[in-house]
Amino acid sequence: MSVADLIAWVLLVLVAAYACAGGADYGAGFWDLMAGGAERGKRTRGLVDHAMAPVWEANNVWLIFILVVLWTGFPVLFQTIFSAMWLPLALAAVGLVLRGAGFALRKPTRRLAGRRVYGAAFAVSSLLTPFFFGTVVGGLVTGRVAPGTPASADAWSNKTSVIAGLLTVAATAFLGAVFLTADARRYGERALVGYFRLRAWGSLGVIAVLAGVGLGVTRDDAPYVYDGLTGGAGLVLVLLAAACALATAGLLYRLATGWARVTAAAAVALVVAAWGVAQRPYLLPTSLTVAQAAGASTTLRWLALVTLIAVVLVGPPLVLLYRLDTQGALRPLTDADLRRAAPGDGPGGPT
């Protein structure tokens, strides 16, 4: 295996990690959007805030890694994507900013009108951002984008792109519902356990319908990737993903929510892996291979070394953070906590 191939696999792993970690966050925002009015959705939004607060910023680390590896290891691919797909990527970037700002500011804001504005920014961006990311992926697999391709609406607004965008939103909704079911059970919110379990099953049904439609569209619009997904290693990965999704549905029925989170994340990660395997040896079917897109060999070797260092230094803290969060050991600070920690406070209270 060449260094370029190794970096390509690293990039695929990073995309899968962001799809799982970031996807669960986007899914939580999706259900925040669907929760209803202020009173009706109060408990749902409270759970979303409580569940996301410890990890939502850390989940975006995966996106930073993706961008660094992409522009350093495969500069031709980076230039091609960001030239031809600048509009949906710009919309996704705006969504990321609005989403983060909305989530960070809605809770400390005291005025109801302000909370509604920030909450709406968070929730709507949680829907639009994954949709635009999905349209970019859909446009890439069709072969409409190649080195030198100018920006055009057709590159990301075709049938495959729209289906990919909807599938991305549905997958994030599925992940979010599964993870929120586990959080509701951990916090003793029995009503919300049933609420999110039903939504996880419903999301899985939507994914199945969209996947069936997507296969039909891809067969005509992206034949190279379609052949890779319906045969060989790609088909094996797709079947494993389907098995994990069905296992998640069964585990949710048994309220084995810890394992359900694992199988749900595995299902999404396996779909990403199937997509990567299906288009080998191309990064852009059928115009740009891994070897053609790779940067200088010296740069790739240094990138491999930096990746190893990042795994050693960043990997364990992230694993520890996720483990503590899933065990319920982390919780956001309350107003009472902040008052107790205020400067000048002694053991007996304010001085």
Side-chain angles (χ1 to χ4, degrees), residues 14-342:
L14 292 173
V15 172
Y18 184 60
C20 295
D25 274 0
Y26 290 127
F30 176 87
W31 295 119
D32 187 291
L33 179 65
M34 300 297 170
E39 286 302 318
R40 180 184 174 188
K42 185 176 181 179
R43 292 179 66 191
T44 300
R45 293 189 176 97
L47 179 64
V48 169
D49 283 342
H50 200 53
M52 283 184 56
V55 296
W56 72 277
E57 291 177 292
N59 287 335
N60 286 317
V61 168
W62 301 111
L63 181 59
I64 305 252
F65 282 167
I66 290 170
L67 292 174
V68 170
V69 172
L70 189 59
W71 81 56
T72 307
F74 304 102
V76 176
L77 178 63
F78 180 86
Q79 179 185 14
T80 301
I81 294 175
F82 278 80
S83 296
M85 300 283 201
W86 71 267
L87 182 54
L89 288 172
L91 292 173
V94 170
L96 281 170
V97 174
L98 292 177
R99 183 176 181 274
F103 183 75
L105 295 175
R106 75 170 177 176
K107 190 172 183 180
T109 300
R110 298 301 179 184
R111 297 181 61 184
L112 179 60
R115 287 202 301 270
R116 285 177 172 171
V117 170
Y118 291 130
F122 163 69
V124 173
S125 297
S126 296
L127 170 66
L128 296 180
T129 301
F131 175 78
F132 286 120
F133 278 143
T135 61
V136 170
V137 173
L140 296 179
V141 301
T142 63
R144 286 178 168 84
V145 176
T149 299
S152 67
D154 181 62
W156 60 277
S157 61
N158 54 80
K159 292 184 293 184
T160 302
S161 289
V162 172
I163 291 294
L166 294 175
L167 266 172
T168 304
V169 173
T172 62
F174 170 64
L175 279 175
V178 171
F179 275 66
L180 287 170
T181 302
D183 289 325
R185 186 165 183 256
R186 187 171 72 234
Y187 298 137
E189 294 280 357
R190 291 188 176 182
L192 290 180
V193 170
Y195 177 90
F196 282 115
R197 186 168 61 168
L198 287 175
R199 278 149 183 78
W201 290 333
S203 300
L204 197 55
V206 172
I207 289 173
V209 172
L210 288 174
V213 174
L215 277 178
V217 171
T218 306
R219 179 178 55 194
D220 300 324
D221 207 26
Y224 187 88
V225 174
Y226 174 83
D227 291 341
L229 290 173
T230 55
L235 178 60
V236 172
L237 291 172
V238 169
L239 293 176
L240 287 174
C244 286
L246 292 174
T248 303
L251 289 167
L252 287 175
Y253 178 78
R254 296 169 58 89
L255 285 180
T257 52
W259 282 108
R261 284 183 304 205
V262 174
T263 54
V268 172
L270 286 166
V271 169
V272 175
W275 160 48
V277 169
Q279 64 180 42
R280 287 185 306 169
Y282 294 102
L283 292 175
L284 293 176
T286 52
S287 60
L288 188 67
T289 65
V290 171
Q292 292 169 339
S297 57
T298 303
T299 302
L300 290 176
R301 285 194 292 269
W302 276 106
L303 182 57
L305 177 61
V306 170
T307 300
L308 178 61
I309 294 172
V311 169
V312 173
L313 295 181
V314 181
L318 280 175
V319 171
L320 177 62
L321 174 65
Y322 291 143
R323 182 173 177 79
L324 291 174
D325 181 53
T326 55
Q327 290 178 342
L330 303 177
R331 63 181 180 86
L333 292 174
T334 64
D335 290 340
D337 294 327
L338 295 174
R339 284 194 296 269
R340 284 196 298 269

